[in-house]
Amino acid sequence: MAEHKTTEGLYGPGTYTDTEFIPIPQDSRRLLKHLAQITPGFTKDTKILEDVEFTGSDLPILPGPIKAQVFVKRLTTLKVAVIHAMMGIVSKEILATKGIDAGRISIDTVHAGMYPAMCSLVAINGKTMVEMAKDGSLSKMGTNLEKGAMHSNHMRTRGWAIYATREKNVWYQVIANLRPHQFFEAYGIDDNAPVKNTDEAYELIKSTISQYSARELEHKNMEHGLCGQTVYSPAAWRSTMMAKALDRHPVIDYEKVVGSADLPPIPFPIVPKDNRPLAGIKVVELARVIAGPVLCALLTSLGAEVVKVQSPNLADPNVLQLSLTPGKYMHPLDLTVESDCQKLQKILEGADVIVQAFRLRSMKHKGFGLAEMVEMARKRNKGLVYVDLNCYGQEGTYAERPGYQQCADAASGCSYIMGKAYGFEEGTGVLPSLPVADMMTGALGALDVLLALRDRALHGGSYHASTVLVASNTIQLTQEFGLYPPEIVQKVQEIYNFAKMTPDQHMEDLLIVVLDGWRSHTHLLQNKEYFAHFEESPFGRDHYILGPLVKFENQSASPRWERSPSPYCFHETFRWSEV
């Protein structure tokens, strides 16, 4: 590969900025070759990579210097396009084992730029998510999963924000969690304080948080089992023991389970009238919020049969049931009840893939950890793929800590870079404008599953994949990826006129800023080619969500959703199909 020239330190310690702007389609092809070379199990045949065509505009469509759109936009456009291209390549390999020629693969990089906003790109009954939120109809859609955890009052809303600590130039990502009373009680803050708006709530919470150092906040959160994360620069994060532990693993991380090599190869099912790569594959989703549900939504688009097991006891943001559940069966089980645990065990016995996205090893305590499921696979003589999706990885001092996408943004340096790019004082964190870490981790996890299922079909065995939020962020801050120079960030800002982004803003605030920019200055949201349309759904008529990115020349094999999103616990009973 040609040398990729960057300037070091422009956005702070440990940052690398391109010396010349590379148009997104061209940059996507460059990074596809790079990731192919460093990914275990992925093809190294450059001729196969030429089967991918990247189309779209040269400039990113998201604010800030990170190339997530390429990766999912280079914090903005590159990463999404590249990972979905890799998914397309492995899907094509799978289809070949079934005698199906997928033809060439195409990825629209503008569509890829919209992917990080997938959870909010929803329209029902002629109203967008933003319109439904403003007129109150969003809260009446489906089931109230949030249970007042995030928006019942201004204090709880600003319980998810970045605050200055008592140390100069050190900021901290506070997360009140989906059980906010625990956070407010631990810090002695009244979460029902009579504040008039979110600005007053932020100032009231800041008056307490700013009394602590970052290390004191870390200790207090660990003591109480809470989430939170110091805002690091990329260099500061890379110097930590946790980052060094994570660096021992590839970002696309799957391997055959030791001792399972004698399990036989399992060919991919042949399903009449369904040429998608994962048709007939059975998946159990044990996840909530964004990353795990995105992973499994991508698998359903590829043809997999997914049952999302949901607890009646856990909160979840409301809008996600409208956007991240297409094609899934939504089945209620309470794992604090023995009879429901037995029901889950029966479902798992028929699964090819298990995705668990709770704290590392939390499923082990309920009898559904990796070792237990690998033993189940041995008894049935059919290997499985077990995915652990979490914030900090499989080893190291942080591994079992709870964490959300915002924690990954703070740890990796992404929030630091955004604050730097927007002109704030040194050390100030501002969240990336969209849930890039969540969305990228979901896509990386889907790629892990595709690679592992392909290997199971060719070589047998069971496989363990580890998909990590922080790793999804840190790879896009490497020198090989690079950041957009300030003049490109400014050019994008001039096109979309995004409103100001600040440390106090919640992810939903930032999503609305981006959607308003797109709506006011482009026709992106009116382009129906980018959306999946369901004439009717349990939520209403004309239900639109963002459609799959991967397109095959053989359209019958292309990803698609054949059933609309469904509400919480919609399917009271569940049984695997006879395939």
Side-chain angles (χ1 to χ4, degrees):
M1 292 179 64
E3 182 184 359
H4 177 226
K5 296 180 181 179
T6 59
T7 298
E8 189 171 353
L10 187 60
Y11 292 106
T15 62
Y16 303 93
T17 304
D18 291 355
T19 57
E20 296 181 359
F21 173 66
I22 307 172
I24 284 175
Q26 182 181 338
D27 214 6
S28 297
R29 181 157 300 284
R30 177 184 71 84
L31 286 171
L32 175 59
K33 292 178 181 178
H34 169 63
L35 283 178
Q37 287 299 315
I38 67 172
T39 298
F42 195 79
T43 181
K44 304 299 185 284
D45 187 341
T46 56
K47 292 182 179 179
I48 293 176
L49 304 185
E50 295 301 322
D51 280 342
V52 180
E53 179 184 11
F54 294 102
T55 62
S57 61
D58 289 351
L59 287 171
I61 65 171
L62 293 175
I66 303 173
K67 296 181 179 177
Q69 188 174 330
V70 185
F71 195 40
V72 201
K73 181 194 134 196
R74 235 168 86 150
L75 216 25
T76 316
T77 301
L78 289 170
K79 191 174 176 184
V80 170
V82 172
I83 296 302
H84 282 261
M86 295 174 78
M87 289 168 54
I89 289 169
V90 182
S91 293
K92 186 173 177 178
E93 292 176 341
I94 290 170
L95 288 168
T97 71
K98 301 199 280 187
I100 299 171
D101 182 7
R104 286 182 60 77
I105 303 161
S106 63
I107 304 286
D108 184 317
T109 59
V110 175
H111 194 182
M114 299 169 72
Y115 169 79
M118 177 182 174
C119 60
S120 294
L121 288 175
V122 178
I124 303 171
N125 299 327
K127 295 180 181 179
T128 66
M129 184 277 290
V130 174
E131 291 168 334
M132 289 188 286
K134 288 179 178 177
D135 70 13
S137 59
L138 180 61
S139 63
K140 300 174 185 176
M141 287 283 178
T143 305
N144 181 16
L145 302 185
E146 190 185 298
K147 305 181 188 298
M150 299 167 72
H151 298 302
S152 59
N153 62 40
H154 298 309
M155 294 293 289
R156 291 189 173 191
T157 298
R158 285 298 174 256
W160 297 65
I162 301 176
Y163 290 89
T165 69
R166 66 182 168 93
E167 301 169 272
K168 183 176 175 57
N169 299 332
V170 180
W171 288 63
Y172 195 86
Q173 173 69 64
V174 166
I175 295 183
N177 213 323
L178 292 173
R179 292 178 177 171
H181 60 279
Q182 294 179 343
F183 164 79
F184 286 104
E185 184 177 291
Y187 285 91
I189 302 172
D190 179 7
D191 65 332
N192 290 304
V195 294
K196 297 177 182 177
N197 52 47
T198 52
D199 290 339
E200 286 191 9
Y202 185 78
E203 291 301 318
L204 182 55
I205 296 171
K206 184 174 75 172
S207 66
T208 294
I209 298 300
S210 62
Q211 296 178 33
Y212 293 86
S213 69
R215 290 189 178 188
E216 288 168 341
L217 290 167
E218 292 281 8
H219 182 77
K220 193 173 187 69
N221 285 338
M222 284 190 283
E223 203 172 53
H224 290 271
L226 299 169
C227 300
Q229 176 62 56
T230 303
V231 175
Y232 286 116
S233 70
W237 169 250
R238 290 176 195 140
S239 71
T240 67
M241 292 298 293
M242 185 61 219
K244 292 173 182 177
L246 198 54
D247 279 347
R248 291 195 281 267
H249 301 270
V251 67
I252 300 164
D253 187 12
Y254 80 103
E255 61 184 2
K256 183 180 285 188
V257 175
V258 174
S260 70
D262 58 335
L263 291 175
I266 306 296
F268 285 92
I270 304 297
V271 180
K273 300 182 180 179
D274 194 342
N275 286 340
R276 290 175 295 170
L278 297 187
I281 293 294
K282 296 173 171 57
V283 180
V284 176
E285 175 187 328
L286 302 169
R288 59 176 177 161
V289 195
I290 297 178
V294 165
L295 191 168
C296 293
L298 294 173
L299 298 183
T300 59
S301 75
L302 293 165
E305 182 177 1
V306 175
V307 56
K308 179 178 176 68
V309 173
Q310 298 185 293
S311 168
N313 305 318
L314 298 177
D316 212 354
N318 285 336
V319 69
L320 304 183
Q321 62 188 316
L322 310 182
S323 57
L324 301 185
T325 63
K328 299 179 186 178
Y329 295 94
M330 314 289 285
H331 185 48
L333 290 176
D334 182 350
L335 299 189
T336 65
V337 176
E338 179 58 29
S339 60
D340 278 7
C341 288
Q342 293 172 3
K343 290 176 184 177
L344 176 58
Q345 180 66 41
K346 294 296 291 183
I347 292 172
L348 292 169
E349 288 171 3
D352 298 289
V353 180
I354 300 169
V355 176
Q356 89 81 23
F358 293 94
R359 252 185 337 109
L360 183 64
R361 288 185 274 276
S362 61
M363 284 294 116
K364 177 180 180 180
H365 304 307
K366 299 182 184 300
F368 306 116
L370 172 64
E372 292 80 10
M373 295 299 97
V374 166
E375 180 59 25
M376 177 200 74
R378 171 166 295 285
K379 289 179 179 177
R380 72 183 188 185
N381 200 37
K382 179 183 178 182
L384 59 74
V385 178
Y386 191 98
V387 181
D388 272 311
L389 189 157
N390 62 20
C391 188
Y392 294 106
Q394 298 300 306
E395 62 169 316
T397 52
Y398 282 28
E400 291 195 23
R401 287 186 65 182
Y404 291 87
Q405 163 246 315
Q406 292 92 331
C407 297
D409 292 335
S412 62
C414 288
S415 294
Y416 173 94
I417 288 171
M418 299 305 275
K420 197 84 168 178
Y422 296 154
F424 288 97
E425 67 177 24
E426 173 63 26
T428 307
V430 177
L431 281 175
S433 57
L434 296 175
V436 173
D438 272 329
M439 299 301 297
M440 273 317 305
T441 303
L444 288 165
L447 178 57
D448 278 327
V449 170
L450 287 164
L451 288 163
L453 286 172
R454 180 205 63 187
D455 287 3
R456 186 186 72 157
L458 296 174
H459 310 297
S462 285
Y463 294 81
H464 180 216
S466 177
T467 308
V468 183
L469 290 165
V470 178
S472 298
N473 273 346
T474 53
I475 191 173
Q476 61 191 344
L477 303 184
T478 60
Q479 185 172 9
E480 190 58 48
F481 270 84
L483 299 167
Y484 291 126
E487 59 269 23
I488 297 300
V489 176
Q490 180 59 32
K491 186 177 290 188
V492 172
Q493 178 62 27
E494 290 171 358
I495 293 171
Y496 297 102
N497 195 28
F498 295 115
K500 188 174 182 179
M501 301 184 189
T502 54
D504 61 296
Q505 289 174 310
H506 191 284
M507 181 53 64
E508 290 180 20
D509 300 324
L510 298 169
L511 277 164
I512 290 171
V513 167
V514 173
L515 295 180
D516 281 345
W518 289 348
R519 184 181 301 105
S520 301
H521 301 284
T522 73
H523 297 290
L524 285 177
L525 302 183
Q526 285 74 50
N527 189 339
K528 294 187 177 180
E529 291 184 5
Y530 293 149
F531 292 86
H533 175 224
F534 306 94
E535 290 186 4
E536 293 188 10
S537 82
F539 301 103
R541 292 189 56 79
D542 290 324
H543 190 151
Y544 286 89
I545 62 173
L546 192 71
L549 271 62
V550 176
K551 308 292 182 187
F552 291 124
E553 187 177 1
N554 178 354
Q555 294 184 13
S556 70
S558 286
R560 61 186 181 275
W561 289 296
E562 297 192 333
R563 289 188 294 108
S564 71
S566 296
Y568 172 74
C569 297
F570 188 68
H571 304 96
E572 293 185 5
T573 60
F574 175 77
R575 176 181 295 179
W576 293 118
S577 63
E578 298 293 331
V579 176

